[in-house]
């Protein structure tokens, strides 16, 4: 995917990692999107330069592009680019980095 977005300040763009979209109970039942649990894990595909401090310097981000993260369930703004769902999150909405 070619991403033409550059997040500002302490924001990141995350591609959610979807869990299985089917549930099995004697057969396959496909869940409608409105009934699915929102994913809370994703991969950072772009990160901003960091927030500015009182003197105009940059505060470095704790996360970087390519990391897998856990984020707040209802945090961020959802957007669609090329048919893919992406989230724009503030760094403070990220709860943890998943170390593999």
């Amino acid at each position: 995917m070619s991403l033409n977005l550059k997040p500002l300040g302490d924001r990141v763009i995350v591609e959610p990692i979807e869990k299985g979209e089917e549930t099995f109970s004697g057969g396959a039942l496909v869940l409608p999107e409105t009934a699915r649990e929102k994913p809370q894990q994703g991969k950072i595909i772009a990160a901003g330069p960091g927030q500015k401090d009182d003197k105009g310097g940059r505060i470095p981000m704790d996360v970087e592009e390519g990391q897998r993260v856990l984020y707040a369930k209802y945090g961020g703004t959802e957007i669609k680019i090329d048919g893919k769902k992406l989230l724009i999150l503030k760094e403070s909405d990220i709860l943890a980095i998943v170390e593999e």
Side-chain angles (χ1 to χ4, degrees):
M1 166 177 29
S2 172
L3 186 67
N4 294 324
L5 292 176
K6 179 170 176 50
L8 301 175
D10 66 339
R11 288 179 175 77
V12 296
I13 299 175
V14 173
E15 182 176 4
I17 298 171
E18 301 283 341
K19 293 182 181 176
E21 297 178 358
E22 297 178 347
T23 183
F24 297 94
S25 160
L29 172 66
V30 177
L31 296 174
E33 183 149 343
T34 56
R36 291 186 192 138
E37 184 76 19
K38 286 185 86 171
Q40 291 178 265
Q41 193 171 145
K43 181 179 179 183
I44 296 177
I45 57 173
Q51 216 173 18
K52 287 191 176 184
D53 62 19
D54 295 338
K55 297 178 183 174
R58 291 279 178 190
I59 301 170
M61 301 268 280
D62 290 331
V63 295
E64 59 189 40
E65 194 173 316
Q67 288 181 318
R68 188 178 212 162
V69 294
L70 296 177
Y71 52 86
K73 191 171 194 169
Y74 297 105
T77 301
E78 191 174 285
I79 61 171
K80 267 192 176 182
I81 294 184
D82 296 334
K84 283 199 170 211
K85 288 183 187 176
L86 301 174
L87 283 172
I88 300 175
L89 296 167
K90 289 190 71 123
E91 185 180 29
S92 60
D93 288 333
I94 296 174
L95 307 173
I97 297 170
V98 178
E99 295 183 350
E100 299 177 39

